[in-house]
Amino acid sequence: MFLELYRVHLFIMKFFREAVSPPYEGKEILKQCYQVGYKSLALISLTGFITGIVFTKQSRPSLAEFGATSWLPSLVGIAMLRTLAPLLTSLISAGKVGSSIGAELGSMKVTEQIDAMEVSATNPFSYLVVTRVLATSITIPILTFYTALVALLGAYVNVSMSESTSFSAFVQAFLESITFLDIIASTIKALVFGFTIGMVGCYQGYNSSKGTEGVGKAANSAVVVGMFLVFIEEVIATQITFLFRT
Amino acid sequence: MLQKAKTENKKAVITIRGIEKSFGDYQVLKSADLDLYEGENLVVLGRSGTGKSVLIKIICGLLQQDSGTVEVLGSKVATLSSKELMALRLRIGFSFQNSALYDSMTVRENLEFPLVRNKKKLTKGEITKSVETVLDAVGLSQTINQMPSELSGGQRKRIGIARTLILRPEVMLYDEPTAGLDPITCIEINNLINEVQQRFKTSSIIITHDLTCAKAVGNRIAMLLDGHFQRVGTFDEVFATDDERVTPFYDYNFIQ
């Protein structure tokens, strides 16, 4: 257990060391950003839209009891931006992207492709790990805001079915309810989630044991450990944000 | 059949002295000594698990020995900084047992990869020309736009060798080049190893179990037994023995 934690620590330290050392893999980072975004976009759009509809539909009766249905945009906006959008995006990415990274690097390790890269004088850590972790750290915050927007759209669709509210008024109510701290906290949280998902996927894949069983295990661990850590980080992030609010 | 080049050179390009390597309690290499001379093909023979692949991984710095020294092209591998090791690796070609082609890239991209990463001053035209030259050398020009999954085992081996040749290495390390191939493809790979020796003036270590391959390509044979190089010499010298650890090896291969 402690030995594993020490290895994780060394892996993370190596990431920061390699991330600031040339050569910088700009082109590969862009390619990976595209991969991460492209792989998750369809699922995130669908999940975000449905969550917006369902969340609004479930919240309406409670608010209606107090004659406060006009608070729906604020409620949806706050819930989405503060918690649901970062969490949903990260969980979907952990499933789609984390597993894919774990399996890809695991397979490369098993078939000696990582060794082949090393003997052809290419730093595989910089080329494979740094680029993927940076890509998830950059892309997941962007996807988070996209999820929030799509969910808002879903919420508006549900609201507009029961009352006549203009989209601009709906958005206006949403914007009035959120603060700068909400945006900053969400961005930082999504960045940490993205870093975690990329790092867990890469660590599991890069250190997978030999054989096809190792590849499956790496992909599985990337999802399970990634999701578990995202939940832990969510609890910590909520506590820290709460301190800033009070 | 293309014959191996005759070599008289005694200038060592790789010098191995007293290397030891253990994995847990199991000691694979026990004070092994070996020299690879300039321009020669040296075949390392031995049973599975005797540390043949470990040896060449130590030579190119993928593994580190527990003790002893490995000197490659005048540099002591274990003492090099990562930057120096990278520079040395540009002069060493490593052909993996399973080819280790990047399966998300086409043959062209596989071959371009080492050049794009290491020869940044080359123009696109020069890179294309280099790719075409090495593909032609291994006789697989028609596969340039194929994915590795579309190639046969023999073709994958050849592309793997082409990918190492593209950086014009001085030393080639072949890990089981004929493993898992049919006899005709084995002969083609043996010819290719001899052609690489003559055309690219490389010095090579070839790890194999295959005595036909050893006889066809090896200027010298080194037999790895119990962690040491027990017998080193020409093919006939190595097998002119009654040593019960050596003779079954010969009998089995040629009965087959």
Side-chain angles (χ1 to χ4, degrees), chain B residues 174-190:
Chain B
Y174 298 92
D175 192 3
E176 307 271 8
T178 56
L181 300 178
D182 66 84
I184 307 293
T185 311
C186 286
I187 293 170
E188 288 171 3
I189 295 290
N190 294 343

Side-chain angles (χ1 to χ4, degrees), chain A residues 23 25 104 107-108 111-124 127 210, chain B residues 57 60 62 86 89-90 92 94 96-97 100-103 105 113-114 117-118 163 167:
Chain A
E25 310 283 353
E104 188 185 10
S107 162
M108 288 184 79
T111 55
E112 294 181 308
Q113 292 175 52
I114 292 180
D115 284 345
M117 225 170 246
E118 201 161 346
V119 294
S120 65
T122 295
N123 180 345
Y127 186 78
K210 297 276 180 187
Chain B
K57 285 185 176 174
C60 67
L62 279 177
M86 288 285 188
R89 280 174 177 160
L90 289 175
I92 305 173
F94 195 119
F96 286 84
Q97 185 174 350
L101 298 180
Y102 308 129
D103 48 20
M105 301 181 193
F113 188 80
R117 308 286 311 170
N118 297 298
R163 190 178 60 187
L167 289 172

